[in-house]
Amino acid sequence: MKPFAYRRPRTATEAVDALAAHPGARFLGGGTNLVDLMKLGVETPHTLVDVSGLPLDTVEELTDGSLRVGATVRNSDLAAHPAVRARYPVLSQALLAGASGQLRNVATTGGNLLQRTRCPYFQDTSQPCNKRTPGSGCAAVEGHNREHAILGHSPRCVATNPSDLAVALCVLDASVELLGPEGERTVAAADFHRLPGDHPERDSHIRPGELITAVVLPARPAGLPSVYRKARDRTSYAFALVSVGAVLDVRDDGVIRYARLAFGGVAHRPWRALHAEDILCGAHATEETFTRALDAELDQARPLRDNAFKVTLARRLATDVLTGLADPGAPLTPWPHTTEQS
Ligand SMILES: Cc1cc2nc3c(=O)[nH]c(=O)nc-3n(C[C@H](O)[C@H](O)[C@H](O)COP(=O)(O)OP(=O)(O)OC[C@H]3O[C@@H](n4cnc5c(N)ncnc54)[C@H](O)[C@@H]3O)c2cc1C
């Protein structure tokens, strides 16, 4: 690893100023992704601005019923928070499905949202990668691409976004609060990450020098059915091949009043299933409706050589999730228990 300077600001404003004063500097959250990338030579910052000790480590109940999660709240603390478990189970489950207990104790909310892709070609500096070195090419397009995108990819990049948290935030209509050299702004979580297009080096719509200060979850009644399920190669310590986050509210007459559905592991960003949601809302919660909705969404898939299985996996996982949410008494296909992590 190359030598680097280390700064430890006391406030969010000091952190933003410190980053602006040191071109090529990076914010450091828990360091569980950034430090690994520095060891691999993928990231070579001259200065690290450690934001993990900033006073952004609380979960606040706001008067309108929403929940404001500071950017340095640890993944394990957020997953265990009583309001999150009661009102946003999809979020708690998504966090517990990620990484391992030890990593979640260190990883932060802001760092999880901005972790980089796990594409092996991105992590290997001997390989061409447009995300790491714009214009160098993409080794994954014709390479081993079993884990890669099936939706929204471009000839320049077929990498996927690895964050489980980000998928849950999309279906919760959460927003991301940012502080940068030009002041504060808020971006919808569903619009925070981007598709690769011609600029796969940009993972998100964050602007240079901006710090994530918080994530805000809009008010939700306790008990509103929501769920996160993740298919992966091992029962723990593994990224999603495909994951599904969903919120479904079904009236007593069987009509779906409200639906949110998103996939992880299938695209350069969490994939909000807008076509499926359009069909689900106002329809009867039946198998036929779910099939129609998922066909409308997944007909857009363009699998690569090695990953056509992800289309089937996404369809089956989402069908199971929607069936379970519509009828909590229905037997679910057994999936690995995501809370028993090593
Ligand atoms: C073996 C292993 C398995 C894993 N499995 C999963 C998994 O299944 N699911 C999953 O979601 N994750 C998984 N992870 C990833 C892990 O969750 C992330 O490394 C972690 O969430 C990143 O958080 P951090 O605080 O450590 O970020 P850091 O490593 O500190 O930072 C990551 C990036 O975010 C930037 N950053 C950090 N904080 C801020 C901020 N407040 N504002 C602006 N920029 C910021 C940094 O500059 C850096 O670019 C795994 C990691 C490992 C090592």
Side-chain angles (χ1 to χ4, degrees):
M1 204 191 306
K2 294 191 169 151
F4 56 87
Y6 176 81
R7 300 276 179 277
R8 199 167 167 82
R10 284 163 305 172
T11 66
T13 305
E14 272 182 31
V16 170
D17 290 346
L19 203 85
H22 298 91
R26 292 276 189 283
F27 292 127
L28 179 74
T32 60
N33 183 227
L34 180 58
V35 175
D36 280 357
L37 293 175
M38 289 168 67
K39 290 181 193 162
L40 293 169
V42 174
E43 291 269 13
T44 52
H46 297 296
T47 304
L48 292 183
V49 177
D50 186 349
V51 298
S52 64
L54 295 181
L56 302 173
D57 59 346
T58 53
V59 179
E60 276 175 85
E61 299 262 6
L62 304 184
T63 47
D64 63 356
S66 57
L67 209 63
R68 188 167 186 275
V69 180
T72 64
V73 172
R74 307 289 165 172
N75 287 179
S76 43
D77 292 337
L78 186 55
H81 194 281
V84 173
R85 292 176 60 170
R87 306 210 298 261
Y88 313 94
V90 62
L91 176 57
S92 185
Q93 292 166 17
L95 288 162
L96 291 174
S100 65
Q102 292 93 330
L103 284 159
R104 293 193 297 270
N105 285 342
V106 179
T108 61
T109 303
N112 188 287
L113 281 181
L114 287 174
Q115 63 174 298
R116 309 300 310 273
T117 182
R118 306 303 287 201
C119 174
Y121 300 103
F122 171 75
Q123 295 181 323
D124 180 349
T125 53
S126 71
Q127 297 287 330
C129 171
N130 288 321
K131 182 176 273 304
R132 182 169 23 78
T133 312
S136 62
C138 173
V141 171
E142 299 294 337
H144 296 286
N145 47 37
R146 175 178 178 270
E147 285 87 20
H148 291 71
I150 54 170
L151 286 157
H153 49 80
S154 83
R156 305 223 172 170
C157 182
V158 294
T160 55
N161 182 290
S163 169
D164 292 299
L165 165 70
V167 179
L169 294 185
C170 277
V171 295
L172 290 172
D173 295 328
S175 51
V176 181
E177 293 187 349
L178 299 156
L179 175 69
E182 283 147 31
E184 295 175 346
R185 67 184 184 112
T186 299
V187 179
D191 299 330
F192 185 69
H193 294 96
R194 60 185 295 285
L195 292 178
D198 288 343
H199 288 285
E201 72 280 10
R202 297 183 209 148
D203 294 343
S204 72
H205 292 289
I206 197 164
R207 294 178 189 153
E210 277 186 328
L211 174 76
I212 297 179
T213 51
V215 162
V216 177
L217 306 167
R220 287 277 183 275
L224 181 66
S226 74
V227 82
Y228 189 78
R229 297 186 92 192
K230 175 170 168 178
R232 48 186 158 172
D233 284 328
R234 297 187 302 266
T235 54
S236 79
Y237 216 42
F239 290 87
L241 290 168
V242 174
S243 67
V244 176
V247 183
L248 200 72
D249 191 13
V250 182
R251 293 193 322 228
D252 289 345
D253 63 0
V255 171
I256 300 168
R257 187 192 332 239
Y258 177 87
R260 288 284 183 274
L261 181 70
F263 293 100
V266 296
H268 194 258
R269 57 183 286 179
W271 189 266
R272 174 96 181 269
L274 294 170
H275 295 289
E277 287 176 10
D278 275 353
I279 291 174
L280 292 169
C281 284
H284 278 91
T286 61
E287 196 181 328
E288 186 274 331
T289 299
F290 299 155
T291 303
R292 210 157 34 90
L294 293 170
D295 282 350
E297 198 61 48
L298 293 169
D299 280 355
Q300 304 170 79
R302 286 182 291 119
L304 307 169
R305 189 193 60 212
D306 302 334
N307 69 4
F309 76 96
K310 280 195 176 189
V311 183
T312 312
L313 190 55
R315 193 183 304 278
R316 288 191 181 157
L317 195 58
T319 303
D320 220 39
V321 159
L322 293 171
T323 308
L325 285 172
D327 177 6
L332 282 175
T333 311
W335 288 91
H337 191 350
T338 53
T339 56
E340 289 171 10
Q341 308 278 332
S342 58

